[in-house]
Amino acid sequence: MTKANQSIRSLLSPAIEDYLKVIFKLQQTHGSANTKLIADTMNYSAASVTNMIKKLATMGLADYRSHRGVTLTESGEKVALEVIRHHRLLELYLSEVMGYSWDEVHAEAEKLEHHISEQFEDTISAMLGHPKFDPHGDPIPAKDGSIPHYESDLLSDARIGETYIIRRIEEQSPEFLRYVAELGLKPNTEILLAQKDPFNGPIRLEIKGLPLIIGFEVAKSLHVVRAD
């Protein structure tokens, strides 16, 4: 992160950083963000969200027009990416070094992401080998703000008879993460898609030759790539 961006972040509250992070993620997943999406995601009232969006616009961190949604400016996006980088590095550090389970790391990282120094960020990144993905398969933004990219499919849309590698878990509630972990469905796991029942029915997999049946909704949250 540049010195100018460090200066900007030093003036921002954790609440503002959380808004920037959420808006960035909504832009990535929905193409844009609006008051309702932000309010639903953060569980805030629409009035509170509107007030904060106007504040972000005044600070030069977002562009906002009533009834047209909100987009981050270049400055706002840089801050969002830095907070996301902190969060995902912390998740991996908590998981690999401190022994947290992958369903516990999100809540802890949420508390810490606003407060670690750039030196601490650099240290844990080097300690972990400058990783590109967090425990759930989400890409970790690089120091320059670039994001590792790969093409993936949802397991629910994948082809029968093909072998895949799980790359990312989209649904990340603690309950869901514990469930798929018990099934052995974590990033980098190789699976064979054996059968898909019609009308969004059960999906039959094989893991190391052993059969496994999962629901269609579970398959919709598993991002996969074809095995080499």
Side-chain angles (χ1 to χ4, degrees):
M1 186 171 65
T2 65
K3 290 184 178 180
N5 209 42
Q6 289 181 28
S7 178
I8 292 172
R9 279 205 64 201
S10 68
L11 302 175
L12 304 182
S13 67
I16 288 175
E17 292 185 347
D18 283 340
Y19 267 92
L20 295 173
K21 180 175 67 173
V22 166
I23 293 169
F24 178 84
K25 289 181 177 180
L26 289 174
Q27 289 178 177
Q28 295 293 300
T29 56
H30 292 78
S32 62
N34 58 46
T35 301
K36 184 178 187 308
L37 278 174
I38 298 169
D40 290 346
T41 301
M42 303 186 75
N43 198 27
Y44 292 159
S45 70
S48 295
V49 170
T50 298
N51 288 336
M52 177 58 84
I53 290 173
K54 290 178 179 178
K55 182 175 182 179
L56 296 178
T58 300
M59 298 174 71
L61 298 171
D63 290 322
Y64 171 67
R65 295 183 182 181
S66 182
H67 307 299
R68 294 188 182 182
V70 57
T71 58
L72 297 183
T73 62
E74 182 178 351
S75 295
E77 185 170 302
K78 285 180 178 178
V79 173
L81 284 166
E82 181 65 16
V83 177
I84 292 169
R85 173 173 166 80
H86 283 189
H87 183 98
R88 293 177 179 172
L89 280 172
L90 284 165
E91 286 192 333
L92 194 61
Y93 178 80
L94 290 165
S95 174
E96 294 197 357
V97 178
M98 300 193 69
Y100 279 68
S101 64
W102 75 333
D103 58 289
E104 298 174 320
V105 295
H106 176 76
E108 290 293 335
E110 283 284 300
K111 302 171 188 175
L112 298 170
E113 63 188 19
H114 307 290
H115 308 294
I116 66 172
S117 67
E118 298 308 303
Q119 181 180 357
F120 187 84
E121 173 202 317
D122 292 341
T123 299
I124 63 174
S125 179
M127 179 185 297
L128 296 169
H130 302 294
K132 293 185 177 181
F133 301 95
D134 75 5
H136 313 111
D138 287 321
I140 299 173
K143 191 77 173 176
D144 63 4
S146 60
I147 302 176
H149 178 73
Y150 59 86
E151 297 293 335
S152 65
D153 297 304
L154 295 178
L155 181 58
S156 54
D157 298 329
R159 296 178 60 180
I160 296 171
E162 298 283 354
T163 300
Y164 294 91
I165 304 292
I166 298 174
R167 292 301 303 268
R168 175 173 171 257
I169 312 297
E170 184 168 325
E171 166 58 50
Q172 294 179 14
S173 67
E175 297 79 10
F176 187 85
L177 291 174
R178 285 193 291 268
Y179 177 69
V180 293
E182 289 172 359
L183 297 177
L185 300 173
K186 299 185 76 171
N188 301 316
T189 300
E190 184 174 284
I191 58 175
L192 170 68
L193 178 52
Q195 182 179 337
K196 292 194 292 185
D197 285 0
F199 307 110
N200 297 345
I203 293 177
R204 290 162 172 79
L205 310 174
E206 288 184 12
I207 303 179
K208 297 181 179 180
L210 299 176
L212 176 67
I213 299 176
I214 64 173
F216 184 82
E217 290 300 316
V218 173
K220 283 175 61 178
S221 281
L222 305 182
H223 290 251
V224 298
V225 295
R226 289 183 62 179
D228 294 332

